[in-house]
Amino acid sequence: MNENKYEYDENDEVDVDDLLPQIGEFGRYQKLLIWLVCLPACIPCGFGAFNQLFMQQTPEHWCKVPELMHLSVDKRRYLGIPLVNKDGIYSECTRYAFNWSEIAQIDSLRVEELQSNWTIEKCMDGWEYNTTEIGSSIVIDFNLVCDDNIYPTVGLAALNIGGPIGVYIFGLINDRLGRKRSFFICLSTLILGNLLTALSMEFWQWALSRAIVGLTIPAVYQIPFIISLELVGPNYRSFVTVMTCLFYISGLILLSIVSYFIRNWVYLAFVSSIPFTIYFICGWFLPESPRWLLAKGRIEEALEVLETLAKVNGKSVPPYRKIQLKRSLSEKKKLRSGPGVIALFRTPNMRLKTILITFNWFANDMVYVGLSYYGPVLGSNEYLSFFLSSVIEIPSCLFCWFIMDRWGRRWPLTLSMLLSGISCIITVLLPEGFMKINLLVNINSVIETLVLFLFSKFTISASFLIIYPFAGELYPTQLRGIGIGFSAYVAGLGLIIIPFVTYLGRENLVLPLVIMGFVSIIGAIVALRLPETLHHNLPQTVEEGEAFGKEWSFADCFSCPKRQNKEESYSCSTEEIEDMIEMLPKNLSIRRKPTLKKQLTILEVPSDECGLFKMTHWV
């Protein structure tokens, strides 16, 4: 199309989304920057969020008896440690109370007879650890077993406590200093936290360092994600969203491989941070967001970025000397004084939808992260289990991306959560001997549980990908940023509970799975009450948000999403706009706005008063 066909007014206010189709929505510039810089920058998030699982592994252990250390391991345990059952499982936290200086005078044939009369006491001189499989962990170095076995769980909770705080802090930095500086400050904090982790000499130092790492999660993922969204046109935001998820998953897969070869927790902390210093080289190539520059009034710098983008894409910026945001100062003031969180609960339908969305997001957060934490303890090899639980997310994301625009949001969300919950609960039907971790003798039961776990992870990953755009489409435009932020933040606070749920699995392996299964099923039932958004105009005002889905009935759950009539569609076609333009007076000077093709999946990201993307607590 000849861009000179229509006249432009230099005083027109132009939004970046209007300009991108003319200079390239996803051209060579965006492809190089996103594939080589932004998407790889999502990998550190996976390392920071889950490397802790391989630092706090608990090996087989038993009480240390100093007087018996000259004997072999088998002999020491046979003499000094009581059995907890007839299957030959030794106690982990008790030993025989006996004067071991007399052991040389005891006939080995009379030991079992004498042991029946010996008293039992707690470990008085520390523990011995079987380091065949797990050679190093904080559990070994800090003796976090028996009465202190809750401490690794406290460390995970410390990691998750830092998340909501960090999202708020880096959200402010992101707005005041820009996307570029915010990312490198966040990355520096992540690296610092991991280095302090490696240098910790006692547990509480280690827990504090994990809270510092937690400050960067999920901000270290969201900032490159936001930069990617702000550099591409609206038609490619869904694609970028899926790609960032896939690169995040690749980080989890890489972590399972790295942790398999690096079994020392100190070295793992270093390897989980030092290599990412290479990302600082990206500072030479990563541009500042033109949207942020425009919002801050740095017009010339924004133009410079956009001109570079256009030049690399083989295009040129239209001859505007000044580009400003669409919103006027009065509109910005209106947005600042617009509806707040209270508006989410002021009317009955909006209140119900907010509660349902928030609970569903909480359920997704809890089950997804809970299963991610629980993966390593399942199966005969924890590294392989974590690897498989990460790999299974790739087809889940692709499958979800495929069905969302065909089956809608509600039923895929409901079915995925329902199937995830059922597969978790089915574990109670496995042989009773598998219910106790110490009785893992049936390899078939191990494989069955691992398969059920992987299916649960596949389905909950799909639902987790759906809930974000679904919530964005249910909240009206006036409340979208506040609504998504509120729901995601409340759900993020629930992550503090997850480590204590998985802690229950120390005694009963399937109990956490059953809890997560019921939470997932309740979330599936709750999702049925939400109105379908596919092929519907998104609500704009608070009043439209209250009206949307108000006439819901149970029969709606069994109806397929219907396409809107032409007069109700999102936008007119290119041909219709051409016809309307031809009908206008010939002497009328107009500014033609680029027409974007309507797409079914539109990622609605919460924005601030300047129209910029904001961060939310989204793992």
Side-chain angles (χ1 to χ4, degrees):
M1 184 182 297
N2 183 2
E3 67 178 14
N4 295 323
K5 182 176 179 180
Y6 305 104
E7 298 180 22
Y8 291 91
D9 185 347
E10 293 183 358
N11 295 321
D12 280 340
E13 294 178 342
V14 179
D15 186 77
V16 175
D17 280 342
D18 294 329
L19 188 59
L20 281 173
Q22 301 173 55
I23 62 177
E25 286 191 85
F26 196 61
R28 182 184 302 172
Y29 181 90
Q30 289 100 326
K31 290 175 182 177
L32 289 173
L33 193 65
I34 289 174
W35 287 109
L36 300 181
V37 179
C38 293
L39 293 181
C42 299
I43 294 176
C45 182
F47 273 71
F50 295 105
N51 62 357
Q52 186 165 330
L53 299 179
F54 300 101
M55 296 182 190
Q56 57 184 50
Q57 298 162 301
T58 302
E60 182 185 9
H61 55 277
W62 57 91
C63 293
K64 182 178 181 179
V65 183
E67 294 87 350
L68 301 180
M69 295 303 293
H70 64 286
L71 303 176
S72 65
V73 172
D74 292 338
K75 190 69 171 179
R76 291 200 299 270
R77 290 206 295 178
Y78 173 68
L79 292 175
I81 310 301
L83 295 173
V84 295
N85 56 45
K86 296 181 180 179
D87 295 321
I89 304 298
Y90 288 98
S91 172
E92 295 180 335
C93 302
T94 59
R95 68 179 188 180
Y96 287 118
F98 185 73
N99 184 3
W100 297 107
S101 61
E102 301 177 6
I103 193 66
Q105 304 173 11
I106 297 178
D107 186 348
S108 60
L109 297 178
R110 298 178 55 217
V111 168
E112 293 185 7
E113 177 184 347
L114 294 172
Q115 282 178 341
S116 61
N117 297 320
W118 290 349
T119 59
I120 295 175
E121 64 182 3
K122 291 185 177 181
C123 301
M124 306 297 293
D125 300 290
W127 291 263
E128 291 187 69
Y129 299 93
N130 183 354
T131 57
T132 304
E133 295 294 331
I134 303 173
S136 173
S137 75
I138 64 164
V139 172
I140 297 175
D141 289 0
F142 304 148
N143 283 325
L144 305 179
V145 293
C146 298
D147 292 341
D148 294 332
N149 62 13
I150 190 68
Y151 283 98
T153 302
V154 173
L156 273 179
L159 180 77
N160 291 332
I161 287 173
I165 300 173
V167 166
Y168 178 76
I169 293 174
F170 286 107
L172 294 177
I173 296 174
N174 198 42
D175 178 60
R176 296 180 182 179
L177 300 182
R179 313 312 196 214
K180 183 176 178 178
R181 290 184 180 178
S182 179
F183 173 70
F184 289 113
I185 293 174
C186 187
L187 183 62
S188 300
T189 305
L190 173 64
I191 294 173
L192 174 64
N194 274 321
L195 292 179
L196 291 176
T197 296
L199 299 175
S200 299
M201 301 302 295
E202 54 96 20
F203 171 76
W204 290 111
Q205 291 179 2
W206 182 85
L208 178 60
S209 69
R210 300 314 297 169
I212 294 174
V213 172
L215 292 173
T216 68
I217 301 169
V220 74
Y221 168 87
Q222 291 179 331
I223 297 173
F225 166 68
I226 291 170
I227 295 173
S228 301
L229 286 182
E230 292 184 341
L231 287 174
V232 303
N235 285 322
Y236 291 91
R237 287 178 186 160
S238 296
F239 170 75
V240 168
T241 300
V242 174
M243 288 300 103
T244 52
C245 289
L246 292 179
F247 269 77
Y248 167 75
I249 294 168
S250 69
L252 299 182
I253 295 173
L254 184 60
L255 173 62
S256 66
I257 297 173
V258 170
S259 59
Y260 175 79
F261 289 102
I262 301 177
R263 302 295 182 94
N264 186 296
W265 73 271
V266 176
Y267 295 158
L268 180 60
F270 280 121
V271 173
S272 300
S273 57
I274 293 177
F276 296 129
T277 55
I278 196 173
Y279 280 41
F280 287 97
I281 299 176
C282 299
W284 294 97
F285 306 100
L286 187 65
E288 185 52 82
S289 166
R291 299 175 191 267
W292 182 82
L293 291 171
L294 289 170
K296 297 301 180 181
R298 295 157 64 172
I299 307 299
E300 295 301 324
E301 294 177 58
L303 275 172
E304 184 178 344
V305 174
L306 292 171
E307 287 170 353
T308 302
L309 189 154
K311 182 178 179 180
V312 176
N313 288 347
K315 300 179 182 294
S316 60
V317 178
Y320 301 151
R321 297 182 61 86
K322 199 171 184 180
I323 300 178
Q324 298 176 333
L325 291 176
K326 277 183 177 180
R327 293 189 175 116
S328 65
L329 294 176
S330 61
E331 287 175 317
K332 291 180 184 179
K333 183 177 180 181
K334 180 180 177 181
L335 281 170
R336 289 192 185 102
S337 59
V341 176
I342 301 300
L344 295 171
F345 301 93
R346 185 171 291 126
T347 53
N349 187 40
M350 198 69 245
R351 178 168 57 247
L352 176 63
K353 287 192 295 184
T354 300
I355 293 173
L356 297 182
I357 292 169
T358 303
F359 178 81
N360 205 278
W361 205 316
F362 173 87
N364 271 275
D365 245 3
M366 179 177 181
V367 178
Y368 173 81
V369 177
L371 290 177
S372 298
Y373 283 169
Y374 213 49
V377 305
L378 297 174
S380 56
N381 187 310
E382 58 190 2
Y383 302 98
L384 179 61
S385 298
F386 188 82
F387 174 82
L388 294 175
S389 71
S390 301
V391 169
I392 201 67
E393 292 188 45
I394 295 177
S396 174
C397 288
L398 297 177
F399 177 72
C400 176
W401 189 24
F402 175 77
I403 65 172
M404 278 179 62
D405 292 342
R406 291 164 176 79
W407 296 359
R409 280 63 160 146
R410 179 174 56 198
W411 269 110
L413 178 66
T414 298
L415 289 176
S416 57
M417 295 193 73
L418 183 65
L419 292 174
S420 177
I422 291 174
S423 60
C424 283
I425 294 176
I426 285 178
T427 53
V428 301
L429 302 177
L430 294 176
E432 184 177 355
F434 188 66
M435 300 301 178
K436 299 288 185 180
I437 289 181
N438 290 334
L439 301 180
L440 292 180
V441 293
N442 189 336
I443 189 62
N444 291 328
S445 297
V446 175
I447 294 175
E448 290 171 3
T449 300
L450 182 59
V451 170
L452 290 171
F453 163 78
L454 292 176
F455 182 74
S456 298
K457 189 67 181 297
F458 175 91
T459 49
I460 200 63
S461 297
S463 69
F464 198 73
L465 189 63
I466 295 172
I467 186 61
Y468 191 80
F470 192 22
E473 293 166 350
L474 285 169
Y475 285 121
T477 300
Q478 284 184 315
L479 296 174
R480 190 162 293 132
I482 295 173
I484 291 181
F486 172 80
S487 296
Y489 194 83
V490 172
L493 293 176
L495 295 182
I496 302 172
I497 305 173
I498 298 301
F500 298 99
V501 173
T502 57
Y503 174 77
L504 300 175
R506 296 183 63 89
E507 295 298 329
N508 191 318
L509 189 63
V510 300
L511 182 58
L513 294 176
V514 172
I515 293 174
M516 288 185 283
F518 275 112
V519 170
S520 186
I521 289 176
I522 295 173
I525 297 172
V526 162
L528 284 174
R529 178 57 184 83
L530 294 170
E532 180 57 69
T533 59
L534 184 64
H535 305 310
H536 286 275
N537 288 329
L538 300 185
Q540 302 298 319
T541 64
V542 176
E543 292 74 19
E544 290 178 3
E546 170 63 18
F548 186 70
K550 193 170 186 177
E551 303 300 325
W552 181 93
S553 65
F554 189 73
D556 293 339
C557 297
F558 302 97
S559 61
C560 298
K562 296 180 180 180
R563 292 186 179 274
Q564 292 175 299
N565 297 326
K566 183 178 294 186
E567 61 271 14
E568 297 174 342
S569 63
Y570 292 104
S571 60
C572 299
S573 65
T574 303
E575 292 76 13
E576 291 171 326
I577 292 180
E578 293 285 356
D579 293 340
M580 288 187 287
I581 290 175
E582 294 299 329
M583 296 172 61
L584 294 173
K586 300 300 182 182
N587 61 347
L588 179 64
S589 175
I590 65 170
R591 176 170 67 88
R592 177 187 178 84
K593 285 196 174 185
T595 303
L596 305 180
K597 294 180 180 178
K598 186 193 87 170
Q599 63 173 34
L600 300 180
T601 302
I602 300 176
L603 180 68
E604 292 291 340
V605 183
S607 58
D608 58 17
E609 65 274 4
C610 299
L612 298 173
F613 298 114
K614 293 176 69 175
M615 294 194 298
T616 59
H617 190 80
W618 181 32
V619 176

